[in-house]
Amino acid sequence: RCRPFAEGFCVELRGRSHLSSGLVLRWFQGHLQRCLGAVRYRLQERCRVSLSACPGRPPTLHIVPCSDYVCCHISMAVRLIPAIPLGDALYLTALPPEGPRGPPAPEALWGLNASRQEQRLLSWLKEQAPASSCHLKCLQILKGLRDLRGQGLEEPFCSQWGRVLSSYVLKTALFSLLLRGPLEAWDERFLVERLEDLVLYLRDCLRKQVLMHFFLGNASLPEAVALPRFLKEAAPVNLLAAFDGPTLDLAAFQLINTWIQAPHLIRMYSSPRYLRPAPAP
């Protein structure tokens, strides 16, 4: 609920006043623009700084060093998201509104950032899984296939594809599958099998329209991942609840199609210099 000092950023929902993530995000973007205008001229000899804000995405700060000032011309893109600390390295993050074709996010809806808890889980998995475990490689490959398929899709589904199969959704599916065990099966020798398992598990989640948040109300977490009590007792949240059935069905179809055509997609969209030469017959 809103405190008196935050009344200008509140909305009424079911007769109660709640802090609006949308209002906070708009205020934050306005301050970013003013701050950028104040510092840009001081940095113009060293780098070019710009701010972009696409519908449905948080503002992104782009930094491009001047080639005649630094030896390495490496650009950076930094997402800037206002957050409220909850303690124990947990944060509420303001959710950007959806694009013009998507349903607007409720004003009082905030995201949960649990990066520290994810790191604890990854550390525990590193100890329990084989030294040559392929679970992180599976996630990287699936993200790459998602991005490659997205290059061949048309709007409006192209934007929906990226939101349905967001990095957090892919990561949640991987964590859920890993806890089903056995972890010995994730040895690198079984990379293709485990990647296929991940694709099929995610397809089933899309068809059933259910993929639960990994930390909110999850009673099956290992004890090594210490969670605050309010997270353990929170109501479970379905990450796919914001999408309609036809969109999820189409995403499931495209996901399987992407897996079947993976070699073709890699050849089509990857730069030739990154492809290994074909072995001699």
Side-chain angles (χ1 to χ4, degrees), residues 63-118:
I63 304 174
V64 181
C66 297
S67 58
D68 56 350
Y69 186 84
V70 294
C71 60
C72 298
H73 195 259
I74 302 176
S75 61
M76 297 178 60
V78 184
R79 290 190 301 169
L80 303 173
I81 306 174
I84 300 175
L86 298 177
D88 196 26
L90 288 166
Y91 297 89
L92 290 178
T93 57
L95 296 176
E98 298 291 344
R101 297 182 179 87
E107 285 286 332
L109 186 62
W110 290 71
L112 176 67
N113 183 287
S115 299
R116 178 71 61 83
Q117 285 67 29
E118 291 178 9

Side-chain angles (χ1 to χ4, degrees), residues 3-182:
R3 300 291 179 87
F5 65 85
E7 289 181 354
F9 300 99
C10 296
V11 293
E12 291 292 330
L13 183 64
R14 297 178 182 177
R16 302 178 66 182
S17 183
H18 296 267
L19 186 64
S20 167
S21 62
L23 292 177
V24 169
L25 187 59
R26 286 192 286 272
W27 167 85
F28 182 69
Q29 290 176 341
H31 272 271
L32 284 178
Q33 292 286 1
R34 287 189 288 272
C35 292
L36 187 61
V39 302
R40 181 184 282 120
Y41 76 96
R42 298 182 182 180
L43 303 174
Q44 59 186 356
E45 294 183 357
R46 301 183 180 183
C47 58
R48 296 189 300 274
V49 184
S50 61
L51 189 68
S52 64
C54 300
R57 297 184 179 181
T60 302
L61 182 67
H62 300 275
I63 304 174
V64 181
C66 297
S67 58
D68 56 350
Y69 186 84
V70 294
C71 60
C72 298
H73 195 259
I74 302 176
S75 61
M76 297 178 60
V78 184
R79 290 190 301 169
L80 303 173
I81 306 174
I84 300 175
L86 298 177
D88 196 26
L90 288 166
Y91 297 89
L92 290 178
T93 57
L95 296 176
E98 298 291 344
R101 297 182 179 87
E107 285 286 332
L109 186 62
W110 290 71
L112 176 67
N113 183 287
S115 299
R116 178 71 61 83
Q117 285 67 29
E118 291 178 9
Q119 289 301 319
R120 291 173 183 168
L121 177 63
L122 289 173
S123 298
W124 178 82
L125 289 170
K126 186 177 181 180
E127 295 175 356
Q128 303 297 322
S132 59
S133 177
C134 63
H135 60 278
L136 294 181
K137 287 185 179 180
C138 287
L139 181 61
Q140 293 170 349
I141 294 172
L142 188 54
K143 286 182 178 180
L145 290 175
R146 174 203 61 190
D147 295 340
L148 289 177
R149 169 57 71 186
Q151 296 180 32
L153 298 176
E154 298 181 356
E155 295 292 355
F157 180 67
C158 181
S159 298
Q160 292 285 3
W161 169 259
R163 285 193 289 266
V164 171
L165 297 183
S166 67
S167 295
Y168 193 78
V169 165
L170 300 185
K171 186 163 48 178
T172 299
L174 174 66
F175 288 161
S176 302
L177 193 58
L178 278 166
L179 289 192
R180 291 186 171 192

Side-chain angles (χ1 to χ4, degrees), residues 30 40 81 165 189 208 224 231 233 235 271:
R40 181 184 282 120
I81 306 174
L165 297 183
R189 295 174 299 164
K208 297 175 182 176
L231 277 189
E233 298 177 351
S271 174

Side-chain angles (χ1 to χ4, degrees), residues 166-207:
S166 67
S167 295
Y168 193 78
V169 165
L170 300 185
K171 186 163 48 178
T172 299
L174 174 66
F175 288 161
S176 302
L177 193 58
L178 278 166
L179 289 192
R180 291 186 171 192
L183 292 177
E184 291 77 11
W186 289 85
D187 187 90
E188 193 168 18
R189 295 174 299 164
F190 310 115
L191 172 64
V192 176
E193 291 87 345
R194 297 293 79 77
L195 184 57
E196 184 174 23
D197 287 346
L198 180 57
V199 169
L200 295 178
Y201 175 77
L202 189 55
R203 178 206 60 183
D204 292 342
C205 291
L206 294 173
R207 287 179 173 177

